[in-house]
């Protein structure tokens, strides 16, 4: 990607972060079911490449913010869990609140 393209992508991601909502095309993901060794299926979520790049770039920042602001057990940022677990839970809450036409409130 050329420098202008990277700058445009960075601007879009910055605006999305400031607005608290990613563009709809970046919110979708694919869930694939893979077999477990002992039977059954395990869901694996495949995110879009831009979201994966963005989440890796922001992971440390989000992790530090979460430790400072999120103490609710529903978020569960306990040791051994990835910051993406908390990010997914927050995105699910944000999407649910958007559907109801209200803003998220701090816990």
């Amino acid at each position: 990607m050329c420098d202008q393209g990277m700058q445009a992508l960075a601007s879009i991601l910055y605006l999305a972060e400031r607005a608290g909502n990613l563009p709809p095309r970046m919110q979708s993901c694919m869930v694939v079911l893979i077999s477990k060794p002992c039977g059954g299926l395990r869901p694996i979520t495949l995110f879009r490449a831009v979201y994966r790049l963005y989440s890796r770039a922001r992971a440390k920042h989000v992790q530090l913010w979460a430790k400072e602001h999120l103490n609710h057990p529903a978020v569960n940022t306990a040791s051994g869990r990835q910051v993406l677990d908390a990010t997914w839970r927050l995105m699910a809450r944000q999407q649910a609140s958007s559907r109801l036409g209200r803003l998220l409130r701090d816990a």
Side-chain angles (χ1 to χ4, degrees), residues 1-18:
M1 182 181 291
C2 68
D3 289 344
Q4 288 177 329
M6 285 192 288
Q7 183 60 44
L9 179 59
S11 296
I12 290 169
L13 292 172
Y14 172 78
L15 291 171
E17 185 174 316
R18 297 296 295 168

Side-chain angles (χ1 to χ4, degrees), residues 12-13 15-24 27 91 94-95 98:
I12 290 169
L13 292 172
L15 291 171
E17 185 174 316
R18 297 296 295 168
N21 203 1
L22 293 171
Q27 292 178 11
M91 285 182 67
Q94 190 261 346
Q95 288 174 358
S98 292

Side-chain angles (χ1 to χ4, degrees), residues 12-59:
I12 290 169
L13 292 172
Y14 172 78
L15 291 171
E17 185 174 316
R18 297 296 295 168
N21 203 1
L22 293 171
R25 298 288 281 183
M26 286 180 59
Q27 292 178 11
S28 64
C29 56
M30 182 187 314
V31 177
V32 178
L33 299 174
I34 61 170
S35 298
K36 291 182 177 181
C38 298
L41 297 171
R42 172 177 307 167
I44 301 294
T45 305
L46 304 174
F47 291 96
R48 295 188 178 271
V50 173
Y51 176 78
R52 291 187 67 196
L53 175 67
Y54 167 73
S55 63
R56 284 186 182 180
R58 300 298 288 161

